[in-house]
Amino acid sequence: MGYIIEIIFGKNEVKKHRLGEEFTDYENLIHKKRFEFETLAERNAFYNGLSESSGWIEFEIIEEIQTNETHKDEEFNYWSFIEKYYPNYNHCDSVLLSDILTRKLNDDEISEKDEEYIKDWDVRKELMKLDKELLGKAFEIYFNQVYPEKSNK
């Protein structure tokens, strides 16, 4: 379950909101904020921080929406990991090919040239092989950063 919260910050703006007065574009930009949280724990931590600021800043929560989006905390987002640790990520042909194969598996549009290139492939099998290689290389770099080899001097 996710959470979306809209808050108005500022003493005068809170009063204005309570009176039902319209905000200018500037007031909306500066004093009205929207926050999104993936978990209840994140939302609660945010509220705790707000309550500790009580007296320092005026605010009013004007809307809270509980979304049906489920975010699995235990799910590993391996692409974030690859993006962070894979060398030359933004200029890598393997990353581009993985994106093409992923789009193909998701029935998203790919170029005719790419369709022709992969027409006889077992797309799922090739994507699995490619992503394992990318993740493996990214993990190797991560591991070497966390546990660098020590010289035997």
Side-chain angles (χ1 to χ4, degrees), residues 14-101:
V14 168
K15 285 180 186 176
K16 194 172 183 176
H17 170 73
R18 289 179 181 164
L19 293 172
E21 297 176 12
E22 291 290 318
F23 280 26
T24 65
D25 290 340
Y26 176 78
E27 287 170 324
N28 277 323
L29 178 67
I30 300 299
H31 299 283
K32 195 176 192 181
K33 300 296 179 189
R34 177 183 168 117
F35 301 92
E36 295 185 29
F37 305 99
E38 291 183 5
T39 65
L40 180 61
E42 289 176 346
R43 187 209 77 166
N44 289 345
F46 178 77
Y47 281 163
N48 285 339
L50 282 178
S51 68
E52 289 179 12
S53 71
S54 187
W56 289 88
I57 188 167
E58 292 275 338
F59 67 90
E60 183 163 324
I61 299 166
I62 58 174
E63 184 173 22
E64 179 176 323
I65 301 167
Q66 191 172 6
T67 66
N68 288 332
E69 273 185 43
T70 54
H71 297 280
K72 298 177 187 168
D73 290 336
E74 65 278 355
E75 188 174 298
F76 177 58
N77 182 348
Y78 71 94
W79 271 107
S80 294
F81 187 83
I82 291 171
E83 185 176 358
K84 185 173 181 179
Y85 292 102
Y86 194 84
N88 212 13
Y89 171 86
N90 291 320
H91 304 287
C92 177
D93 290 339
S94 294
V95 171
L96 176 60
L97 181 57
S98 176
D99 179 61
I100 292 166
L101 295 175

Side-chain angles (χ1 to χ4, degrees), residues 99-110 115 118 123:
D99 179 61
I100 292 166
L101 295 175
T102 301
R103 286 188 281 135
K104 178 68 175 174
L105 271 183
N106 290 328
D107 294 323
D108 293 338
E109 190 175 325
I110 62 174
E115 278 285 0
I118 65 171
V123 174

